[in-house]
Amino acid sequence: MDFAVVIALVLCALTVPGFGDTGSGKAQSCSDIRQFYNGNGFSLKGVPQSEISGEHLRICPQGYTCCTSVMEDSLSNLSRTEMQGLIRDAGRALQASLNGQYKAFDDYLLELLNRSEVVLQESYPPVLGFLYTQNTRVFSDLYTELRRYYRGSNINIEEALNEFWARLLERLFKGANGQYLIGTAIFCIPPYLVTTPLIVSKLLTGTVCVICFVVCFLSQVPLSPECVRAIMKMTYCRHCRGVPSARPCANYCANVLKGCLANHADLDTEWRNLADAMLQVANRFEGASSVNVVFLSLPKRISEAITTMMDNIDTFNTKVFQACGNLREGGTSNIGLEEVKKRGKVTVQDSPTSGARLEKLVSDVSRRLRDMQSYWVSLPSTLCSDRVATRAQGDDKCWNGMARARYLPEVMGDGLASQINNPEVEIDITKPDMTIRQQIMQLKIMTNRLRNAFNGNDVDFQDTSDDVSGSGSGMCADDNCARGPRLMAPNTDRPKLYAYPPENKKVVKASANHNLPFIALYLLSLVTLLLRR
């Protein structure tokens, strides 16, 4: 036989395709995939008993296979469902952690407000007597407004505090001068008490809640058709090829999921900025101006303002009479401020454990915020290492998408732009996912609002649950945060006045009614100095 013919025959023999993973000339049994396929709820009708030629396949390698076109479609849908489940599970784990932080802070802050009100209710009557008992509604309404604001009601907190001071100081002045006929007047005194701590409190818990919605929503963004093809090829084509025990190579899995989650990874910059801003806000809870100190000292500081007015009532009267003229007599007698002043001052003792509890809460939430900073860019490696791929980077027995062998391509970078040469997922880097781009903008807006609130500006959020869900469909309704605070736009209208009747319903001189607000000038100077100490 001619030597050239012999060489040709040898080469032909070497290039005859083998069957399964063994390369033997005998078609391999499909018993393993039949069992697997049926175990996932699929019918065995049409499933081959042994390997067949794979020219019909559109995703898996077209060598000898145990899969038909129907099986390939079924397994492709299964792989998509499972991967979306893994992404949702990862999101739920983060949500659960954030929900725990949210609930701990929410419970603590409401407890602080409740404790502060109880202290006021218990300490004011012995010291202020009927100065308190005749004005209990003014104080109870203050705490009601503080809770409503924290819970997200569409109220202006500064206006609410202005209104509280106006009604309280008006009543105290009129009570101290009951022998005169004094009409109703409104005092506008800046609320230096609790504005910034309350804004910060509402903002931190509210933003944690919004982040839960963002994670929930983005964890349910549908996978692209190109991604589904790549996941099917990585996950179940090995079963079709007869090597179900070969787990996907680590770098192979990384490229597939970096391609699938490329748009998610582009959240990274604004996600980190938001986490940094939240850490800055969380640090605001510590120190002498912390929410713990301010809320619990609120009764004492209100009492000090009342005491300041009582100590200077003669000066106030002189100035008011100079500004308003002589007021008509005809009212009742005054309420005996001297007797009230003899009773001393309101004292508030902080619980020794409250500071430590707040410190632990801040520490816990700060640690969790640092942990979540790399969430989106780490998600592909997290999914691969936990559930999908082999852990060995250089394993030559792993599934590389074509056979059980080493995976050679390099791992792509993070984000959409880095996927231009991704060998596993076809991506048009000029067409970003606009749904995710909207969430990137939402994160940027939230970060700016956090920084504004950190400087003491009120929260001007709209209801963000609709912002992150697109249509308000409630797709994240099972989230615990769904019942938490909603961040609303502040009310820019003047608040409605409570229908408090004047102490004396008789008509008084118009000049006295018109000039009475001058009292606010003197009250403002004293109260402002006190509250700025």
Side-chain angles (χ1 to χ4, degrees):
M1 181 179 296
D2 187 86
F3 180 74
V5 176
V6 172
I7 294 297
L9 291 174
V10 170
L11 290 175
C12 289
L14 291 175
T15 55
V16 173
F19 295 87
D21 190 52
T22 63
S24 64
K26 183 179 180 181
Q28 298 296 306
S29 170
C30 294
S31 58
D32 288 341
I33 194 171
R34 285 174 60 87
Q35 183 178 359
F36 169 81
Y37 193 71
N38 188 241
N40 280 279
F42 300 114
S43 171
L44 291 178
K45 182 179 180 180
V47 177
Q49 297 285 346
S50 59
E51 290 179 324
I52 59 176
S53 180
E55 290 86 354
H56 56 279
L57 298 178
R58 291 167 296 176
I59 300 175
C60 296
Q62 293 184 334
Y64 281 89
T65 183
C66 283
C67 290
T68 63
S69 297
V70 173
M71 293 174 66
E72 191 179 44
D73 290 340
S74 299
L75 292 175
S76 179
N77 291 332
L78 177 63
S79 66
R80 179 188 61 217
T81 301
E82 290 178 341
M83 182 55 67
Q84 288 178 331
L86 292 177
I87 295 172
R88 282 196 299 269
D89 287 347
R92 289 190 181 115
L94 178 57
Q95 287 174 259
S97 176
L98 292 172
N99 280 334
Q101 302 300 327
Y102 159 76
K103 189 176 186 307
F105 258 105
D106 186 58
D107 290 347
Y108 181 72
L109 293 171
L110 290 177
E111 181 183 319
L112 279 181
L113 279 174
N114 293 338
R115 196 192 316 170
S116 177
E117 184 174 21
V118 169
V119 168
L120 185 147
Q121 292 170 344
E122 293 177 348
S123 60
Y124 273 32
V127 177
L128 300 180
F130 41 80
L131 272 180
Y132 171 73
T133 57
Q134 291 180 358
N135 297 287
T136 54
R137 184 177 173 186
V138 177
F139 296 100
S140 63
D141 281 346
L142 169 64
Y143 282 93
T144 298
E145 290 296 277
L146 294 179
R147 291 189 190 91
R148 287 182 61 223
Y149 172 79
Y150 173 69
R151 279 302 191 193
S153 295
N154 191 18
I155 64 174
N156 187 309
I157 185 61
E158 291 196 5
E159 295 284 3
L161 291 171
N162 277 337
E163 192 177 345
F164 163 74
W165 277 113
R167 291 197 303 274
L168 178 61
L169 296 178
E170 177 190 354
R171 284 193 160 210
L172 290 176
F173 181 82
K174 289 163 64 177
N177 295 276
Q179 68 271 32
Y180 298 106
L181 298 174
I182 303 173
T184 302
I186 297 300
F187 301 91
C188 297
I189 299 178
Y192 293 105
L193 285 175
V194 296
T195 305
T196 297
L198 193 60
I199 290 173
V200 170
S201 302
K202 172 182 178 178
L203 187 63
L204 184 62
T205 56
T207 305
V208 169
C209 192
V210 171
I211 289 177
C212 288
F213 279 107
V214 172
V215 173
C216 176
F217 177 70
L218 293 180
S219 297
Q220 300 185 63
V221 173
L223 300 175
S224 69
E226 294 77 16
C227 171
V228 173
R229 288 175 58 88
I231 290 175
M232 165 59 190
K233 185 177 180 181
M234 175 182 71
T235 308
Y236 290 129
C237 284
R238 56 195 173 101
H239 290 265
C240 296
R241 195 65 171 167
V243 287
S245 62
R247 297 188 68 184
C249 302
N251 288 352
Y252 174 39
C253 180
N255 275 343
V256 170
L257 292 187
K258 280 177 179 285
C260 288
L261 301 175
N263 284 280
H264 292 73
D266 282 344
L267 287 157
D268 182 62
T269 299
E270 293 306 326
W271 184 261
R272 289 177 183 272
N273 289 341
L274 179 61
D276 287 338
M278 291 186 68
L279 282 168
Q280 190 178 30
V281 169
N283 292 332
R284 191 66 174 266
F285 279 79
E286 300 177 324
S289 61
S290 74
V291 64
N292 189 70
V293 174
V294 172
F295 280 14
L296 293 181
S297 66
L298 182 56
K300 179 181 178 181
R301 302 187 72 181
I302 294 175
S303 173
E304 289 174 346
I306 294 173
T307 301
T308 297
M309 179 186 173
M310 293 191 299
D311 289 343
N312 293 274
I313 193 64
D314 293 336
T315 302
F316 289 162
N317 287 346
T318 300
K319 296 297 183 181
V320 169
F321 295 154
Q322 290 176 354
C324 302
N326 292 325
L327 300 178
R328 291 177 54 193
E329 295 189 4
T332 60
S333 60
N334 64 44
I335 58 178
L337 295 183
E338 291 300 323
E339 180 64 26
V340 172
K341 287 190 284 186
K342 292 178 182 178
R343 299 182 182 184
K345 298 181 179 180
V346 173
T347 58
V348 179
Q349 294 182 346
D350 188 16
S351 169
T353 60
S354 60
R357 181 179 172 191
L358 179 61
E359 183 178 348
K360 184 178 186 305
L361 285 172
V362 172
S363 175
D364 288 346
V365 75
S366 298
R367 183 177 63 254
R368 193 67 196 94
L369 288 171
R370 292 188 185 94
D371 291 343
M372 79 173 204
Q373 284 184 313
S374 62
Y375 176 77
W376 295 110
V377 292
S378 299
L379 187 56
S381 60
T382 299
L383 294 175
C384 287
S385 61
D386 289 350
R387 300 290 297 273
V388 180
T390 180
R391 295 181 182 272
Q393 298 291 338
D395 188 3
D396 58 359
K397 298 293 185 180
C398 57
W399 173 251
N400 66 7
M402 298 297 294
R404 182 158 57 182
R406 186 184 299 271
Y407 183 77
L408 299 178
E410 64 177 350
V411 176
M412 299 293 101
D414 300 313
L416 184 62
S418 299
Q419 309 309 311
I420 188 170
N421 293 317
N422 192 311
E424 309 305 336
V425 186
E426 294 181 11
I427 302 177
D428 186 347
I429 64 171
T430 66
K431 296 181 179 179
D433 187 310
M434 297 311 299
T435 299
I436 294 179
R437 285 298 182 267
Q438 290 173 359
Q439 302 314 307
I440 293 175
M441 182 58 65
Q442 177 72 14
L443 294 178
K444 184 179 295 187
I445 293 172
M446 289 168 59
T447 300
N448 290 334
R449 288 167 174 168
L450 273 166
R451 290 169 177 165
N452 288 336
F454 180 79
N455 295 323
N457 300 318
D458 200 355
V459 183
D460 59 347
F461 286 22
Q462 294 291 337
D463 187 340
T464 47
S465 62
D466 287 341
D467 293 340
V468 296
S469 63
S471 61
S473 60
M475 63 193 303
C476 297
D478 60 335
D479 186 349
N480 291 337
C481 275
R483 302 179 69 115
R486 301 273 180 100
L487 305 183
M488 309 290 288
N491 188 358
T492 56
D493 298 330
R494 296 288 298 178
K496 295 181 180 179
L497 300 180
Y498 289 102
Y500 286 120
E503 296 289 346
N504 193 312
K505 297 183 180 180
K506 294 182 180 180
V507 178
V508 298
K509 287 184 179 180
S511 61
N513 278 332
H514 290 309
N515 291 328
L516 193 56
F518 281 105
I519 303 170
L521 297 175
Y522 309 112
L523 297 180
L524 172 61
S525 61
L526 290 172
V527 176
T528 300
L529 287 174
L530 170 68
L531 297 178
R532 281 180 169 174
R533 288 178 185 175

